[in-house]
Amino acid sequence: MTRATEEPLGGAPDADESLGDRAARAILEFREGRTDALTDLVREATPLLWHTVRAQGVDRDVADDVVQSTWAALVRHADTIAEPKAVLKWLLVTARRAAWETVRKGRADLRRRTELPDDVTEGAAALPDARPGPEAEVLTDERDRILWSSLRRLPERCQELLRLVSLADRPDYKAISASIGMPVGSIGATRGRCLAKLRAVLTEQGEASWT
């Protein structure tokens, strides 16, 4: 597997087959002992996974390892994935969760390496903790819960598109097009309509702050 770079993702998808379709075919053929389609999928989908991992705050070099481990996990679980059509989503979710775990461990290691208060030189002023307090974390968690609960009330196409768009600050429409089989030129307008539907759902729940 080759290293991904922060360049536009992937090549032009087949006219009648989305990246999700190709992922489903690849896993079915892999189960039958044919690996060519999976090799092609690795080459085509690795940039998407790499950008997904990077969007979670993982360093470039570490992102390579996370993506490699995601592909290894797919091979290990190839026979247990009940729905082949869900393979691409499985890869994205697995990569994102692995990235979160990597970031969590990195932060824990950093905290362990930080000087304890008793070790601070006498007379040195302690810097205030810039991290949000527990009350801010609770509010953020509740806000996220409401958002994702509302998102699940949208049509599946909107859910899929908004999840992919939310993966990065500057979403790559070409990659999204390859993933869900939507023309690049339609993504912006569809995204706007889906966001309007999401705002309407949030408003119905009394969450005026989202509008």
Side-chain angles (χ1 to χ4, degrees), residues 18-21 23-24 41 45 48-49 71 74 83-94 160 164 175 178-180:
S18 70
L19 183 58
D21 294 331
L41 179 66
L48 177 60
L49 296 179
W71 287 116
L74 176 65
E83 178 49 64
K85 285 282 189 181
V87 167
L88 183 60
K89 290 182 179 179
W90 188 95
L91 286 167
L92 289 167
V93 170
T94 300
E160 189 174 28
L164 287 174
S179 176
I180 63 177

Side-chain angles (χ1 to χ4, degrees), residues 5 8 10 15 24 27 51 55 59 81 90 99-100 102 107 119 123 125 130 132 137 144 151 174 176 196 202:
T5 57
I27 201 67
H51 279 254
D59 292 339
I81 297 177
W90 188 95
W100 291 341
T102 297
R107 289 174 178 170
D119 297 329
E137 294 180 3
D144 289 348
L151 182 65
K174 187 175 181 180
I176 295 172
L202 289 164

Side-chain angles (χ1 to χ4, degrees), residues 111-206:
R111 284 196 296 271
R112 282 195 292 270
R113 291 195 299 268
T114 301
E115 286 185 314
L116 295 175
D118 291 342
D119 297 329
V120 177
T121 303
E122 185 176 355
L127 294 176
D129 190 349
R131 292 174 299 175
E135 69 283 356
E137 294 180 3
V138 170
L139 291 175
T140 299
D141 290 345
E142 177 63 12
R143 184 180 177 89
D144 289 348
R145 184 191 66 76
I146 293 171
L147 176 61
W148 290 109
S149 174
S150 299
L151 182 65
R152 286 192 292 271
R153 294 176 58 183
L154 299 183
E156 185 175 351
R157 191 69 161 171
C158 280
Q159 294 185 40
E160 189 174 28
L161 174 59
L162 292 181
R163 284 194 178 100
L164 287 174
V165 168
S166 70
L167 290 177
D169 292 334
R170 298 176 62 185
D172 189 318
Y173 280 11
K174 187 175 181 180
I176 295 172
S177 174
S179 176
I180 63 177
M182 180 181 293
V184 173
S186 300
I187 292 175
T190 304
R191 174 193 182 192
R193 289 193 295 270
C194 291
L195 286 173
K197 292 178 181 179
L198 180 58
R199 283 194 294 270
V201 172
L202 289 164
T203 300
E204 289 177 4
Q205 299 183 90

